[in-house]
Amino acid sequence: MTATDGEMSVAQRVEVLRSQISDHNHRYYVLDQPTVSDAEYDRLMVELQSLEEAHPDLITPDSPTQRVGAQPVSGFDSVRHAVAMLSLSNAFETEDVEAFNKRVADTLRGAGLTNNDGLVEYEAELKFDGLAVSLRYEQGKLVQAATRGDGQTGEDITSNIRTLRSVPLSLRGEYPVVLEVRGEVLMNRADFERLNETQQRRGDKIFVNPRNAAAGSLRQLDPRITAQRPLRFYAYGWGELVLGDAPGATAKQMPLSGQQRHQSAPTAPNASTAHETQPDAQSEGQGALQTLPDQAPDPAQALRNTHSAMLDWLATLGLPVSPSREVVRGVDGLLQFYENRGGQRQKLPFDIDGVVYKVNSLEAQRVLGFVARAPRFAIAHKFPAQEETTTLLDIEVQVGRTGAITPVARLKPVFVGGVTVTNATLHNEDEILRKDVRIGDTVIVRRAGDVIPEVVGPVIELRPENARPFVMPQHCPVCDSAIERLEDEAIARCTGGLFCAAQRKQTIRHAASRKALDIEGLGEKLVDQLVESDRVKSLADLFTLKVEELLLYERMGRKSAENLVAALQRASKPELGRLLYALGIRHVGETTARDLALHFGSVDAVMAADEEVLLRVRDVGPVVAGSIARFFGEPHNREVVHALEAAGVRPRAVEVSDGGAQPLEGKTLVLTGTMPNWTRDEATRRILAAGGKVSGSVSKKTAYLVAGEDAGSKLTKATELGVTILDEDGLKELLGD
Ligand code: IVH
C-alpha cells in the first residue's frame, strides 16, 4: 500500500465516522429515536478523535470532535443580522385572540385571500421559554450563530452553539446556499435539576430556572463550559434564505422571504440586505407552484407556500423542529390548541410560556406585513405565568404532626400559576440559607400546575438594606416547648409531643384520615375546635364524644353529629394495621404498620417488643425499629393506647404470620471485613430476623464468624478458637436465602 492509499483510507474512515456520528446525533436529538447505545456512540467518537490526533490536517470545523469547545474568549463580537429578529405581540385573554383573528381575517378578505369556509388557516406552535438565536448556514455548513440582541445586532456565540449536539454542523440532503435558521435554545427541566445538583456539589452558582441556566450557559466566554451544559435547540422560523446552484444545493432560488423579512417595516434599516438576497415574492410567486421538468414534484418547491411546510423542510435538513405543531382553522382552532397544550404543560420536558399562532400561508403573511417590531401575521398567546416576583413580608414557622417545624413565607399577595398566593413553603432552615432568602427581599415565587407554591430565590439586586436573615425560634410558637434540631437531621422539631396543640391537631387529623381510621365527618375545623376547647386531648377522647355535646360546636347540626358518632363507632373496630398507622409513629407508614400487625398480632405485642425483636419484622431496619421502640417508650404514648382500649377501641383479630423455624435461633454471629453485596446493617438485620444475635467480639460462644474482605484480628482469633468461618454466600446459605 502506498502512502497515498493509506492517507485516502484514513480520510475515508474519518468521513464515514463523521457521517455516522452526525446520523446518531440526528436520530437522538432531532428524531428522538436513537439506534445505538451511548457506549457505541462514544466508541465512534473516540476512534474519530484518535484519527484526527494522528492526522491533524484532516480536522475540519464541522467535525463532531470540534463540539467539545474552543478556547475561551474575552468578549463576544457583534453580529448584524442579515434579516432583523423581531418579537411577537402578546395575547393574554381570549378576547385578544379573537381581535387578532378578526384583524387578520379582515385584511385577508380585503386582499381577496379568503378560504372557502372563510376561516383563516394558522400554524399553532409552542412558545419555548428559552433564548432566541439565529444560526447561519452557508453552503450547508454552520458558519455563524448569534443571539437576538436588540433585534438588529446580536452577539457572536458560534463557538458556544457548536457545542450543542442538537445543532447540525452540516445540513443534510439538498441544502440552500444561505439559510439563517431562527429558533430557541433551552434546557429540559430534568437536565436543569441535574445541573443544579452538580453546581451545588461543586459550590458553584445555582440557577433559579431552566431559562436562566440556558442563558448563563449560552453567554459563557469559555465554550468548554457550554459544552458541559445540556442545551437544546428548536427551530421555529428562518431569516435570510437563498436557494441556488451550489453543489448539493436545491436547484432554484427560493422565491419567498423569511417570515421576518420586512422591507415594509420602518424599524428595519437592514431590510435592503434581505431584499438583495431574496427575490421579490410578488414576481416569483408563480415559481412556487412549478415542478422540475424531469421528475416528480420537487419537495423543495411544494414547501414554498406555507409556514408549516417550511418547518417540515427545515426538519428534512436535519434541524430539530418541535413535533408539537398543528395546522388549525379559525379562532376556535386556536383556542382549542391553547387549552390542549396548556393542559399538557407539566408533562412537557421543557418550560413553555404560551403558544404562538402564525398565519400559515406565506403569501398571506406577506400581505399582512409588520407593525413596528412585530409581525401582524403572528401572535403569542401567553399562559398564566408560573413565576412572579413579590415581597417576602415575613417567615413564620408551622408545626407538623411529628413536631417538624416548617418555615413558611408570608408574601405580599401575588397572582401566579392562575391563583393568588400569599404563603409559600421554604422547606427547612438549610434551604433558606442555601437560597439566601431574607425577610424584606423581593423573591421569585413559583407555582407550577397543582404543586404547592414555593419560593425559588431572592432577587439580590433588589435587596433592601434592612433585609434580615431568618432565625429559627428556640421555642415552639404554639406550646412554647423547646425546639430541637438533631445534628444529622435537616428538620428542627418541637419537643412538646402531644402536649403541643399543633401536634395534637395534626395527630388527630392523621388518625381520622382515609388510610388510617377513616372517620368520616371529622373535618379540619371541627378538629381545631375540639382540640382548642381541650375536649379532645388525645386520640382516645374522640371515642367518648356524644351527639348532644357535639351540637354545641360551630356548624354542627344534629344529623352531622349523629353521623359522626356512628362513624366513630365503626372506626372503633379497625384492622390492627390501620390502628398502628393511626398512632402516627414516625417512619411507620401504612405498609410497615400492616407488617407489624401481621408479625405481632396485637398492639400489646408491638409495645412489648424491643429493637432487636422489631428488627425481625419484614423490611424493618434500625431506623424504623428505633423509632417504634422510642414511641412506645414514652409513657404518654402508652397511656394513649390504654385509653383507646378503655374507650372501646378494639382492633379486629389478625392471624400472626408464622415466620417458620428460625434458622439462627440462639446462635451468636460476629461480622468482620467488607462483604461484596451486603452492608453491615443489612447483614445484621437478616441475622436478627432469622432469630440470631450479632456480637462485636469473638469468643468461644461465637457460632459463626462472617468474614468479608480485609478481615483483621477477629478472623485470626476465630481461627485460633476453631469458630466456623463463613463468607457472604455462606451466610446467605445459612439464612436459606
Ligand atoms: S416566532 C417574528 N415562534 O418568543 C417572530 N418565537 O416574543 C419571530 N419564541 O424572540 C418569533 N417560541 O424567542 C416564534 N414557536 C415560536 C417561539 C418563539 C418561542 C420566542 C422567541 C421570540 C419571542 C417573541
Side-chain angles (χ1 to χ4, degrees), residues 495-698:
T495 52
L498 291 181
F499 173 71
C500 177
Q503 294 189 49
R504 240 183 306 150
K505 285 179 189 172
Q506 303 285 345
T507 304
I508 292 184
R509 272 181 212 152
H510 166 77
S513 67
R514 223 164 27 84
K515 288 173 182 166
L517 299 179
D518 194 15
I519 307 170
E520 229 175 284
L522 188 62
E524 277 193 21
K525 289 265 150 47
L526 183 59
V527 172
D528 287 354
Q529 294 181 59
L530 290 169
V531 170
E532 279 160 22
S533 66
D534 263 353
R535 171 62 181 81
V536 172
K537 294 206 185 75
S538 85
L539 200 50
D541 293 337
L542 274 183
F543 294 90
T544 61
L545 285 169
K546 300 283 179 301
V547 172
E548 295 306 319
E549 59 174 327
L550 279 171
L551 289 176
L552 301 174
Y553 289 92
E554 268 171 49
R555 280 181 292 185
M556 252 296 159
R558 181 164 290 277
K559 189 80 204 140
S560 336
E562 283 172 0
N563 285 344
L564 177 56
V565 171
L568 284 163
Q569 184 62 34
R570 281 195 301 277
S572 65
K573 304 277 167 294
E575 286 163 20
L576 178 58
R578 280 173 174 266
L579 180 60
L580 288 168
Y581 176 63
L583 293 175
I585 306 165
R586 260 187 95 193
H587 300 301
V588 176
E590 305 155 65
T591 315
T592 308
R594 221 175 303 130
D595 288 343
L596 288 169
L598 277 174
H599 193 98
F600 292 105
S602 73
V603 185
D604 286 341
V606 183
M607 274 207 294
D610 60 14
E611 280 188 58
E612 216 173 296
V613 174
L614 286 163
L615 280 169
R616 293 183 197 163
V617 180
R618 196 175 67 155
D619 289 338
V620 168
V623 173
V624 182
S627 170
I628 300 170
R630 240 179 330 221
F631 182 89
F632 289 115
E634 293 275 351
H636 65 250
N637 287 332
R638 301 174 84 96
E639 270 162 36
V640 170
V641 172
H642 292 134
L644 277 168
E645 249 184 329
V649 179
R650 305 272 150 77
R652 294 178 228 157
V654 254
E655 250 178 51
V656 181
S657 72
D658 178 7
Q662 297 275 66
L664 294 182
E665 195 69 63
K667 300 226 156 59
T668 302
L669 288 81
V670 175
L671 303 172
T672 183
T674 316
M675 279 171 272
N677 299 304
W678 281 354
T679 60
R680 206 52 93 75
D681 274 356
E682 178 72 12
T684 305
R685 214 171 55 69
R686 305 274 185 146
I687 294 167
L688 295 176
K693 283 196 175 138
V694 176
S695 163
S697 54
V698 179

Side-chain angles (χ1 to χ4, degrees), residues 84-90 124-133 148 182-184 211 235-237 259-260 307 311 353-356 358 370 373-375 377-378 380 382:
M85 292 180 78
L86 303 185
S87 64
L88 292 168
S89 317
N90 289 324
E125 301 173 3
L126 303 179
K127 187 168 191 304
F128 306 101
D129 196 6
L131 297 109
V133 294
R148 178 173 181 277
R182 301 282 162 85
E184 201 90 342
R211 187 176 189 283
Y236 53 63
Q259 59 163 309
Q260 289 95 341
H307 186 87
L311 294 195
D353 55 348
V355 292
V356 182
K358 298 171 180 173
F370 301 83
R373 291 174 165 273
F377 55 79
K382 305 281 285 263

Side-chain angles (χ1 to χ4, degrees), residues 105-136:
D106 289 350
T107 309
L108 295 185
R109 203 172 312 113
L113 283 174
T114 314
N115 282 318
N116 291 341
D117 57 4
L119 297 178
V120 180
E121 184 179 279
Y122 294 96
E123 191 191 48
E125 301 173 3
L126 303 179
K127 187 168 191 304
F128 306 101
D129 196 6
L131 297 109
V133 294
S134 181
L135 314 180
R136 187 174 173 88

Side-chain angles (χ1 to χ4, degrees), residues 336-352:
Q336 220 175 334
F337 184 85
Y338 178 81
E339 287 302 320
N340 175 287
R341 295 309 192 277
Q344 294 171 359
R345 193 175 178 189
Q346 306 310 325
K347 291 195 201 119
L348 284 173
F350 45 75
D351 283 350
I352 56 174

